Amino acid sequence: MKELASYVVGKWVKGSGKGAELVNPATEEVLATTSTEGLDFGAALDFARTKGGPALRAMTFAQRGEMLRAMSRAIHAKRDELLTIAQQNGGNTRGDAKFDVDGASGTLAAYADLAAELGETHVLVDGDAIQIGRGARLFGQHVYTPREGVAVHVNAFNFPAWGLAEKAATALLGGMPVVTKPATSTALVAHRMMEIFIEDKLLPEGALSFVCGSAGNLLDLLGGQDVIAFTGSSITAAKLREGRSVLREGVHINVEADSLNAAILGADVEDGSDVMNLFINDVAREMTQKTGQKCTAIRRVYVPKDKTEAVLERLRERLAAIKVGDPLREEVTMGPVSTAQQIKDVREGVKKLESCAKIVFGSTTDAAPIGVPQGKGFFTTPVLLHGASPAPNDAAHTHEVFGPVATVMPYDDVKGVASLVAAGGGGLVTSVYADDKDFIRSAVLALAPFHGRLTIGSSKVAGQSLPPGMALPQLLHGGPGRAGGGEELGGRRGMALYMQRTALQGDRALIEAIAAKK
Ligand code: NAP
C-alpha cells in the first residue's frame, strides 16, 4: 500500500498512526493512505517564512515567472501520468482529468506571461501617481510589496491539480512562500505534482511546502503577515473564519465556497438557433463535466415559460446520451462522484430539491455503471428537475447539490428572474443567453452585484464562446455572499491577497525610482 508523505522543512515526512484512505471512487479500491499526525507545523511554517520568503522576495517578477513557467512545463511533461492518477483517484474521465491537469499547467503559464510583462522589478505599482501638493513635486502613489509571511492554501477535493496551481501561481508570483494542502480524499495527483516539482528542483528551498492529510493545528499558528486561501464548503469556511489567527492576529483569509450558478435563456432565443444550441450545450456540459463537481457548474436553469417543454426535451435527449461508468473505459462519458460522502450528499440533496421540483430525468440510485463490480462505486446518473413554481426560499435557491444535478424553472421577466437568481445568495458565475440588447443590459446590471463573473452568450460569439464553468487566469474567480466573498485569479488582481498595498507620499521622482528599482 502506498503511504503518502508531506513535504515540509525541506523534506518528505510521513505522519504516524493509521492514516486516512484514498480510494478509487469507481471500484472503492484503496489506493494509498496518508497521515499528518506528529508533524511539526510550527517548524514547517517557520521554514517557509525564513527560507522560502527571503529567497522569493530576492527574485524579480520576471524571475519568479520563469519559475512558474518551469513548473508549468514540468506538469505538461508528465501529463499522461497525471491524467491517469486523476482518473483513478478522482473518478475523472480523461476529459475531466485534462480540465484539471491542463488547467493547472495553463494557469501557471498564464502567470508566467504576466510576470514577463511586469519585468525585472520587485514592486507592483497600483494605479497612477496622484498630485497631492500644490506644486508638481509632491505626489502619492499606491504600491504593493510581498507580505513577509506564509500563504496557506487549503483546497477542495474536486480540482486537486488546478487548485494547487492556480493558488500557488498567484502567491509565488506575488513573492510569498506557500504551504499547500489538497483535500485528503483526492490528494494523489497533487502529491505527484509536488514530487515532480521537488525532483526537478524548480523552486527555492521553503518556497513550496505540501501538507498531505489533516491540517491539524496549522491554521492556529499563523500571524499577521500570513494569509489563508481556502476553497471548500461554506461550513468549513465558517469554522476557519472563526479561527484564532483570523480573529486575533488579523490573518487575511480568502474564501471560495458554494455557489448556485445559473443559466438564463432570453425570450428572444428561437429553438434551433446558434444561441439556443450554445445554451443547451453549456447546460448539459456543466451538469456532467467532472460529474457536476465543479464550483462553477450550472445548478439553476431559468427559461421563459413557453420554452420550458422544448428545453426539457432537448436536455433530456442530451443527458440520455451520457454513459456512466468506470472513467478508465473509453466509452464512459461520466464517472462516479469522488467520495462515499459525496454520493450520500447528492442523494440527500436531490431529495431536498424534490420538495420544490419534480425529477424529469435520471436517478441517484439506478446508475447501472459500465465496467464496475456489482454494487461498487459512488455512481449516479445526471438528474434534471423541473420546478414549475420557483420561490426565493425553496431548496433550488438555497441548497447546492454538488453533483450532476440541475433544476429548470420558468420566469416571467428580467426583474423576476434577477430576483430569483439573487435569492441564491451570491454566486461565482451566471450565464445569460440572448441577443436582445435591452434584456441583456438589464439582466447584467441586475445580476452583477451578486456575481464575480457573468458570461453573455449571444449569436456573435456563439461559435467561440468559452464554457461558463471554466475559470480563466485573466478574469476574476470568486463571488460575494454564499460564494465566500473571495477573489482569486483575475491576472494581477489575484496577487493582491499576497501583497500589502501601501500609499507612498513624497517627492515624485523618489517614489518613481523606488517603484522601478530592479
Ligand atoms: P470541505 O469539506 O470544506 O473541505 C475543503 C478543504 O478544507 C479540504 O482540504 C479539507 O481537508 C479542509 N478542511 C476541512 N476541515 C478543516 C479544518 N477544520 N481546518 C482546516 N482545513 C479543513 O469541502 P470539499 O468537500 O472538499 O469541497 C466541496 C465544496 O467546495 C463544495 O461545496 C463546493 O461548492 C466548494 N468548492 C468551491 C470552489 C470555488 O472556487 N468557489 C471550488 C471547488 C469547490 P480534508 O480533506 O483533509 O478534510
Side-chain angles (χ1 to χ4, degrees):
M1 174 67 54
K2 194 173 167 127
E3 219 184 306
L4 305 183
S6 296
Y7 189 81
V8 289
V9 201
K11 53 182 191 281
W12 290 100
V13 185
K14 283 182 184 159
S16 54
K18 185 172 168 281
E21 291 180 341
L22 285 71
V23 304
N24 177 334
T27 62
E28 299 180 41
E29 176 201 354
V30 179
L31 303 170
T33 62
T34 192
S35 164
T36 56
E37 217 177 295
L39 262 62
D40 184 347
F41 286 130
L45 292 170
D46 275 350
F47 188 79
R49 287 189 196 108
T50 55
K51 293 269 185 204
L56 288 167
R57 292 194 296 275
M59 296 160 78
T60 61
F61 286 110
Q63 288 167 333
R64 291 180 214 140
E66 283 315 304
M67 178 181 73
L68 299 183
R69 197 172 307 284
M71 292 166 75
S72 168
R73 287 188 177 139
I75 294 173
H76 192 69
K78 297 274 176 13
R79 181 173 184 257
D80 271 343
E81 184 193 350
L82 291 168
L83 294 180
T84 305
I85 297 171
Q87 287 187 272
Q88 287 166 340
N89 185 210
N92 295 342
T93 62
R94 197 93 178 147
D96 292 342
K98 286 179 192 166
F99 196 66
D100 189 22
V101 172
D102 293 345
S105 52
T107 304
L108 285 161
Y111 270 88
D113 291 344
L114 171 61
E117 275 171 39
L118 297 174
E120 299 293 343
T121 56
H122 289 95
V123 174
L124 193 60
V125 173
D126 176 31
D128 294 329
I130 308 150
Q131 183 178 326
I132 53 173
R134 265 175 299 158
R137 285 213 81 94
L138 188 59
F139 263 72
Q141 172 74 63
H142 292 95
V143 296
Y144 283 104
T145 52
R147 297 188 198 280
E148 298 208 351
V150 59
V152 176
H153 292 166
V154 179
N155 281 313
F157 70 85
N158 55 344
F159 282 103
W162 176 78
L164 186 161
E166 56 100 18
K167 285 189 174 63
T170 37
L172 293 170
L173 183 55
M176 273 195 101
V178 171
V179 173
T180 187
K181 183 198 128 34
T184 304
S185 55
T186 57
L188 261 180
V189 69
H191 186 273
R192 183 64 195 122
M193 278 165 61
M194 192 66 196
E195 282 180 339
I196 293 166
F197 297 149
I198 300 305
E199 281 159 15
D200 292 359
K201 297 190 174 53
L202 302 181
L203 295 117
E205 216 179 24
L208 185 60
S209 309
F210 181 78
V211 170
C212 198
S214 165
N217 66 343
L218 175 69
L219 300 180
D220 288 335
L221 303 173
L222 301 180
Q225 284 287 305
D226 300 323
V227 166
I228 302 169
F230 169 80
T231 297
S233 66
S234 48
I235 296 166
T236 310
K239 275 191 214 153
L240 301 197
R241 286 189 211 274
E242 287 165 8
R244 196 199 68 84
S245 64
V246 175
L247 292 181
R248 302 248 178 102
E249 307 290 335
V251 168
H252 293 257
I253 179 166
N254 191 78
V255 171
E256 301 289 344
D258 316 350
S259 179
L260 292 165
N261 313 296
I264 304 169
L265 183 70
D268 63 313
V269 180
E270 299 292 341
D271 208 2
S273 65
D274 289 349
V275 177
M276 178 64 101
N277 292 340
L278 176 68
F279 166 77
I280 296 290
N281 283 342
D282 279 357
V283 174
R285 184 201 320 95
E286 294 302 321
M287 277 184 73
T288 55
Q289 188 175 43
K290 289 204 121 255
T291 319
Q293 300 166 109
K294 284 194 314 191
C295 50
T296 49
I298 294 170
R299 310 289 180 201
R300 300 178 288 163
V301 185
Y302 297 97
V303 295
K305 206 178 224 149
D306 62 337
K307 297 191 193 294
T308 308
E309 262 322 305
V311 165
L312 288 176
E313 192 50 40
R314 288 205 51 195
L315 287 174
R316 272 194 295 246
E317 253 170 47
R318 291 292 301 269
L319 298 176
I322 297 290
K323 292 194 165 49
V324 177
D326 184 343
L328 285 167
R329 292 175 75 117
E330 235 171 68
E331 72 270 35
V332 165
T333 51
M334 193 176 92
V337 293
S338 294
T339 62
Q341 184 61 43
Q342 270 299 115
I343 193 67
K344 188 168 169 278
D345 289 352
V346 168
R347 287 177 181 147
E348 286 172 8
V350 169
K351 283 222 170 70
K352 278 194 186 148
L353 293 181
E354 282 185 88
S355 64
C356 66
K358 272 199 192 118
I359 294 181
V360 292
F361 180 90
S363 152
T364 59
T365 49
D366 298 325
I370 301 164
V372 172
Q374 182 72 27
K376 289 289 182 191
F378 313 134
F379 291 97
T380 173
T381 69
V383 176
L384 187 68
L385 297 105
H386 175 217
S389 314
N393 56 357
D394 66 24
H397 295 90
T398 53
H399 187 72
E400 180 198 48
V401 182
F402 207 57
V405 179
T407 307
V408 176
M409 294 168 276
Y411 74 88
D412 293 325
D413 54 24
V414 76
K415 200 163 159 244
V417 74
S419 70
L420 283 173
V421 175
L428 296 172
V429 58
T430 273
S431 37
V432 179
Y433 301 82
D435 278 320
D436 176 342
K437 289 197 181 89
D438 290 339
F439 173 80
I440 294 170
R441 185 170 189 280
S442 313
V444 163
L445 293 184
L447 296 167
F450 298 90
H451 293 86
R453 187 161 58 89
L454 295 173
T455 78
I456 304 162
S458 61
S459 47
K460 292 232 166 85
V461 295
Q464 49 175 307
S465 179
L466 295 169
M470 183 189 277
L472 298 167
Q474 303 87 341
L475 299 182
L476 274 187
H477 174 61
R482 95 177 280 143
E487 287 189 351
E488 286 184 342
L489 301 174
R492 66 166 73 192
R493 292 172 188 84
M495 283 149 56
L497 179 65
Y498 305 106
M499 305 185 85
Q500 175 63 41
R501 178 159 45 190
T502 307
L504 300 182
Q505 288 173 229
D507 177 3
R508 180 174 196 170
L510 275 177
I511 289 174
E512 283 176 352
I514 293 166
K517 192 167 183 328
K518 303 252 176 311

